Amino acid sequence: MVDTELRKEKEHLQFVYEQLLATEKVLKDSIERNRAEGISELKAMSSEGSLNFDSVLDNLDTFLGIEMKSREIDQMNIKLKTAEALLEKVERLLQSPYFGKVTVDFLDEEPDEPFYIGINGFSNEDRETLVYDWRSPIAELFYNNTLGKSSYLANQQPIDVDIKSRRQLIIEKDQLLNYFDTTVAIQDDVLLEALEQDTTKQMKDITATIQNEQNVIIRDMKHPILLVNGVAGSGKTSTVMQRIAYLLYSLRKEITSDNVLILSPNNQFINYISNVLPALGEKNPLNMTLLQFVGQQANWAMETETEYFSRISQPAINTQSVVLRSLGFVDFVKGADEVVASTDFLFKDLIYRGKIIISKEKMLEIYKTTPASSPVIDRIQATKQRLSSYWERRILTQSKSHGIQDQILEMSEKMQLKHFGELITEDNEEKVIEYGEQLLRKKYRSITKGIEQNKWVDLTHIFNALYFHYQKESYVHSREVLTVDEAVIYLLIVNTFVERISFPLMRFVLIDEVQDYTPAQMSLLSDLFMKSDFTMVGDENQAIFNSSITFQEITDIIENKRKSVQRYDLVNSYRSSGAITKVFSKLITANQKIEIIPVRPQGNDPEVYEVSDKDDFKGILEQILMELDGKTLTVITKSEQEAEELSIYLKENLPFVFSVKVLPISLSKGLEFDNVLVYDVSEENYQSERDQRILYTAVSRGMQNLFMTYKGNLSKFLQ
């Protein structure tokens, strides 16, 4: 029986592979032919001689000919792009045509039907579907259900079926390496083999090993707001990436990757996940950090990522930051219309080369002509319109002045070409006025742009006034660049009092490490993306910075806007060995009662070393590197300063420093590494509850081997 099944599967694989190869050849030939025809058409167009514009009829014929040729070339380009996209899919499948098979009885007296599931779908020239995309409706039967009676949705209609068998196949090109029949979604042997192949450089897609609890999140189309609390190594980020691919596939007639925004914790993480979606045949959406996002909205000078992480990694937080991050201050700002309306310092001068062009007094004069009973944002928008009209009249009036006209007429030919792109051939008054207007608009374009971009609104004064009214003390601006906390409040002020900020094209917003956001940041994002669906993932045990939010606070913020939140919890840990998982399971803080379930084998026990100084540490490190036999070791420190000092020391004292990578916990969070050494887990270094979360995060970065060093006494959390 087994031999027969194996033979059948091998024969089917050969058939599918041959079909893929045949399609690859057809597509390559088609692409080559279309490119050649396109080049030929372009050459023909350029060699048809001079174009005839002798009469109106000749003009029409000429333009018609050009239009027809352009359309032909456009059609060729469409065919070419379509063929290239199909070829990319085929070439992906040639690496491994499919990974799963589900056999289904449709309860219609027809024979049972097998469906093969792959990373992309594939149909041959006879339009026979040989491989079904993992995101297709039928594929849900492979991931989500046990054998027996089941159903799936097709065109929003439930289809009742009886699942007869589910098979996991390990395939490399046209070779069937192994297969397993299973009553659950994924065979443990297949999952474990895939986990052993993890890379520490870039995240891989998990298409072939999506688990039931992950699949529910990936395919959830009912709930617009998802909040996922997953333990370390539970596949939170992988699930988010697969969810994006699923949404782009399922809603392909409605959205593209341009309608998706990913907010990542840091730039290193952006690079880490950059290959997942392209490997699935999808274009990467916009992916940025919160720091980049808030700085981009108004082109403000912002703190660097290094400065940001250094600031939020400090144990203590100053009072001003506490206020700016609080939901209380955010709510106060949103209701502070009277506070803002009562100040006479709403505006600032628009200046060109040190000269005031439009004074703040003029702006206030215009502002006071707007209805006093209207909200501040409406009054400022009305002021903006009137200010634009006022500036337009000034430009037109000045363009008619004798001074400007004389300046135009006295220009050298060189200056005429520079400013107008042509020589002045007419000296009638209307033409000179037109040139004058053109010159003035070019000269004062910064003023026009300043009006459009609300540069005339004094945001700093409004910020200071709001803070003073709330806190009863003045805000002290300590730096020329803005912190993220300050920038968030500035954006809130703009959105509340100056001009609504909206992102109508952004259908989905996905946030990773959401526990590191502040209440103010979450409130702002939910305001700016009111029409967007959110998927937020994090781990409350990894709230290691002085900026953080609880999942209950996130839920309250969103539900206060009359939106419901669907909560998911992931407790299976796929990243670390059983032995490492056991260590960080004990580091869960008291308010988080979660039982973490390890999936990987037990593996090597963690090794703990007492060291007296850096030279002693170097000796231990050399011993560990010899044991690892050339494999890379990632050393994780508690602080950026520790990482910097240790890096310098190792570069100067360790012969094979290239095998060691030193990272602070702030930059390693969210990543994973085969071999990890957590530096200085001493009692002195890890004492508080926050320290406990830092240790949980650092330990859970390790996949295969974990080492720890300490000086003096070992931290109480590890005893």
Side-chain angles (χ1 to χ4, degrees):
M1 177 65 179
V2 175
D3 290 341
T4 303
E5 282 297 305
L6 182 61
R7 178 178 55 78
K8 285 181 180 178
E9 290 294 2
K10 285 185 175 181
E11 287 174 356
H12 183 77
L13 175 58
Q14 288 304 313
F15 170 71
V16 173
Y17 205 80
E18 287 168 8
Q19 294 287 299
L20 283 166
L21 289 173
T23 303
E24 180 189 39
K25 185 178 186 308
V26 169
L27 289 171
K28 283 184 174 179
D29 290 344
S30 174
I31 290 169
E32 190 175 339
R33 185 170 60 254
N34 273 289
R35 281 179 179 158
E37 288 176 4
I39 293 169
S40 177
E41 287 289 342
L42 287 171
K43 285 181 178 177
M45 283 180 68
S46 62
S47 63
E48 283 178 354
S50 58
L51 301 176
N52 190 350
F53 296 104
D54 292 342
S55 67
V56 173
L57 286 176
D58 289 332
N59 285 353
L60 290 174
D61 288 342
T62 300
F63 286 131
L64 184 61
I66 293 172
E67 179 69 18
M68 288 176 65
K69 288 290 185 186
S70 294
R71 286 184 180 179
E72 287 176 17
I73 292 172
D74 286 343
Q75 288 299 315
M76 286 181 191
N77 284 333
I78 291 171
K79 286 181 182 178
L80 189 61
K81 286 182 180 178
T82 302
E84 287 174 339
L86 286 172
L87 180 61
E88 285 181 7
K89 287 185 178 181
V90 168
E91 288 179 337
R92 273 192 293 274
L93 291 177
L94 282 168
Q95 300 306 307
S96 180
Y98 45 83
F99 53 79
K101 174 187 177 183
V102 59
T103 304
V104 180
D105 178 0
F106 283 95
L107 311 176
D108 56 4
E109 298 183 358
E110 293 293 322
D112 296 345
E113 190 171 348
F115 295 89
Y116 287 86
I117 314 299
I119 199 169
N120 290 125
F122 170 66
S123 299
N124 60 14
E125 287 189 322
D126 298 328
R127 297 190 177 181
E128 177 187 7
T129 303
L130 300 178
V131 182
Y132 286 80
D133 193 294
W134 68 275
R135 298 165 288 188
S136 62
I138 195 73
E140 185 165 5
L141 299 175
F142 173 74
Y143 289 115
N144 234 16
N145 301 293
T146 55
L147 301 184
K149 302 295 182 184
S150 187
S151 66
Y152 68 97
L153 285 177
N155 298 320
Q156 304 304 313
Q157 298 298 317
I159 308 294
D160 293 324
V161 299
D162 190 351
I163 303 174
K164 293 299 184 182
S165 68
R166 179 181 288 101
R167 179 166 289 173
Q168 186 82 15
L169 304 106
I170 301 177
I171 295 172
E172 189 174 313
K173 297 186 176 179
D174 62 346
Q175 298 297 309
L176 176 60
L177 304 181
N178 208 344
Y179 76 89
F180 305 88
D181 286 330
T182 176
T183 57
V184 294
I186 302 297
Q187 172 70 22
D188 288 346
D189 293 359
V190 177
L191 173 61
L192 293 174
E193 183 173 332
L195 291 173
E196 288 303 318
Q197 296 172 357
D198 279 343
T199 174
T200 60
K201 293 182 179 178
Q202 284 195 315
M203 177 180 286
K204 289 182 178 180
D205 72 90
I206 59 168
T207 310
T209 56
I210 292 170
Q211 300 298 291
N212 181 53
E213 74 274 15
Q214 297 167 333
N215 188 54
V216 172
I217 298 166
I218 290 167
R219 293 175 182 262
D220 188 335
M221 302 286 279
K222 294 179 182 178
H223 304 101
I225 312 291
L226 305 186
L227 179 58
V228 181
N229 188 22
V231 300
S234 58
K236 298 182 294 293
T237 303
S238 296
T239 301
V240 165
M241 300 308 289
Q242 302 290 148
R243 176 166 171 77
I244 294 171
Y246 178 77
L247 293 170
L248 291 173
Y249 174 88
S250 302
L251 303 173
R252 55 194 177 279
K253 293 181 180 178
E254 302 174 33
I255 66 169
T256 69
S257 57
D258 294 333
N259 305 118
V260 179
L261 168 66
I262 303 174
L263 289 175
S264 288
N266 55 60
N267 279 303
Q268 187 164 339
F269 188 84
I270 290 174
N271 179 62
Y272 178 61
I273 65 174
S274 63
N275 197 47
V276 176
L277 290 171
L280 295 170
E282 301 292 352
K283 180 184 172 187
N284 272 324
L286 181 62
N287 190 352
M288 58 174 60
T289 64
L290 179 72
L291 175 66
Q292 292 166 336
F293 173 76
V294 295
Q296 189 184 75
Q297 298 317 305
N299 197 26
W300 292 319
M302 297 286 299
E303 62 185 337
T304 66
E305 185 173 278
T306 302
E307 291 169 335
Y308 170 66
F309 279 114
S310 176
R311 185 171 61 82
I312 66 174
S313 295
Q314 300 302 316
I317 173 174
N318 64 53
T319 304
Q320 291 191 157
S321 294
V322 171
V323 172
L324 298 187
R325 295 173 181 181
S326 70
L327 199 57
F329 183 60
V330 168
D331 290 340
F332 167 77
V333 170
K334 290 179 181 179
D337 223 61
E338 290 185 9
V339 174
V340 177
S342 65
T343 178
D344 285 340
F345 300 97
L346 283 174
F347 312 117
K348 54 186 178 181
D349 301 325
L350 284 174
I351 297 172
Y352 176 75
R353 292 187 176 177
K355 180 182 177 183
I356 296 175
I357 304 301
I358 307 178
S359 69
K360 57 190 175 187
E361 289 78 16
K362 181 64 180 177
M363 297 168 193
L364 188 60
E365 178 189 322
I366 295 173
Y367 174 77
K368 288 183 175 179
T369 65
T370 62
S373 59
S374 297
V376 170
I377 190 169
D378 293 342
R379 296 187 70 184
I380 287 184
Q381 282 302 296
T383 302
K384 182 177 183 176
Q385 291 177 359
R386 296 176 190 183
L387 193 61
S388 294
S389 298
Y390 164 76
W391 177 240
E392 183 71 14
R393 290 194 300 273
R394 276 186 58 178
I395 290 283
L396 293 174
T397 300
Q398 194 171 352
S399 67
K400 297 174 183 177
S401 68
H402 291 300
I404 290 295
Q405 291 183 37
D406 291 343
Q407 185 179 339
I408 298 295
L409 294 172
E410 291 171 4
M411 274 187 179
S412 65
E413 290 187 351
K414 182 179 179 181
M415 291 300 290
Q416 291 174 30
L417 289 170
K418 177 184 176 182
H419 288 289
F420 311 123
E422 60 182 8
L423 296 176
I424 300 174
T425 56
E426 302 176 54
D427 59 357
N428 65 65
E429 188 175 347
E430 280 189 19
K431 195 65 179 176
V432 173
I433 289 172
E434 184 182 320
Y435 282 128
E437 183 184 337
Q438 191 176 334
L439 180 66
L440 289 169
R441 290 191 189 283
K442 186 176 180 181
K443 179 180 178 181
Y444 292 112
R445 60 181 175 269
S446 63
I447 301 297
T448 305
K449 193 174 180 182
I451 295 172
E452 291 173 358
Q453 296 181 348
N454 306 309
K455 295 289 179 66
W456 46 283
V457 180
D458 195 339
L459 296 178
T460 301
H461 179 81
I462 297 173
F463 180 106
N464 292 341
L466 289 169
Y467 187 89
F468 182 81
H469 274 78
Y470 182 79
Q471 196 65 9
K472 304 300 185 254
E473 63 182 27
S474 298
Y475 187 85
V476 179
H477 296 267
S478 57
R479 308 175 62 188
E480 291 184 5
V481 297
L482 294 180
T483 66
V484 171
D485 297 320
E486 291 168 339
V488 164
I489 299 303
Y490 274 114
L491 275 179
L492 177 63
I493 289 169
V494 171
N495 192 54
T496 307
F497 304 111
V498 182
E499 189 167 23
R500 296 289 181 211
I501 306 169
S502 64
F503 301 87
L505 295 178
M506 212 54 72
R507 176 75 178 276
F508 294 97
V509 177
L510 302 105
I511 304 176
D512 208 337
E513 303 288 351
V514 70
Q515 77 281 344
D516 294 334
Y517 284 64
T518 67
Q521 291 164 6
M522 282 307 306
S523 181
L524 177 69
L525 289 172
S526 61
D527 285 345
L528 299 186
F529 296 97
M530 288 192 70
K531 295 182 179 179
S532 303
D533 290 356
F534 278 75
T535 299
M536 301 166 285
V537 301
D539 178 0
E540 287 187 288
N541 283 292
Q542 294 187 60
I544 65 173
F545 300 123
N546 60 42
S547 61
S548 64
I549 190 170
T550 67
F551 276 40
Q552 187 57 54
E553 286 175 314
I554 295 171
T555 302
D556 292 343
I557 288 169
I558 293 172
E559 290 189 342
N560 283 340
K561 301 178 191 299
R562 298 182 180 178
K563 293 183 178 180
S564 62
V565 176
Q566 176 62 37
R567 167 81 175 259
Y568 289 105
D569 293 295
L570 298 176
V571 296
N572 292 329
S573 180
Y574 301 98
R575 174 190 296 145
S576 305
S577 68
I580 296 175
T581 303
K582 185 177 180 181
V583 174
F584 70 76
S585 294
K586 293 179 179 178
L587 293 168
I588 292 177
T589 51
N591 61 331
Q592 294 292 309
K593 299 295 183 183
I594 299 174
E595 182 183 350
I596 300 177
I597 303 169
V599 174
R600 291 197 190 223
Q602 178 71 6
N604 298 326
D605 288 334
E607 298 177 29
V608 184
Y609 299 93
E610 182 181 1
V611 297
S612 55
D613 53 28
K614 279 195 173 67
D615 289 338
D616 193 14
F617 172 78
K618 180 174 79 79
I620 295 295
L621 199 59
E622 289 173 337
Q623 177 185 327
I624 292 171
L625 290 172
M626 287 181 65
E627 290 177 16
L628 293 177
D629 193 23
K631 295 176 184 175
T632 300
L633 176 69
T634 302
V635 178
I636 298 178
T637 65
K638 184 181 177 185
S639 69
E640 287 82 358
Q641 184 178 346
E642 276 182 328
E644 187 177 348
E645 290 174 357
L646 189 59
S647 294
I648 293 170
Y649 174 81
L650 293 179
K651 282 179 183 177
E652 293 174 351
N653 294 279
L654 195 67
F656 26 89
V657 72
F658 58 85
S659 297
V660 180
K661 185 176 185 180
V662 182
L663 284 175
I665 187 60
S666 59
L667 294 183
S668 58
K669 194 152 76 77
L671 307 180
E672 56 189 26
F673 311 97
D674 286 334
N675 309 293
V676 164
L677 186 151
V678 184
Y679 181 72
D680 194 12
V681 293
S682 62
E683 189 174 18
E684 184 180 351
N685 213 17
Y686 288 93
Q687 299 179 0
S688 67
E689 184 177 306
R690 180 166 169 251
D691 291 339
Q692 186 176 349
R693 292 195 296 268
I694 293 173
L695 198 52
Y696 166 95
T697 307
V699 168
S700 62
R701 299 310 93 200
M703 294 163 60
Q704 297 176 12
N705 292 293
L706 173 67
F707 308 94
M708 293 179 280
T709 61
Y710 70 97
K711 283 187 280 186
N713 295 316
L714 186 65
S715 169
K716 61 183 178 181
F717 303 125
L718 294 168
Q719 289 174 4

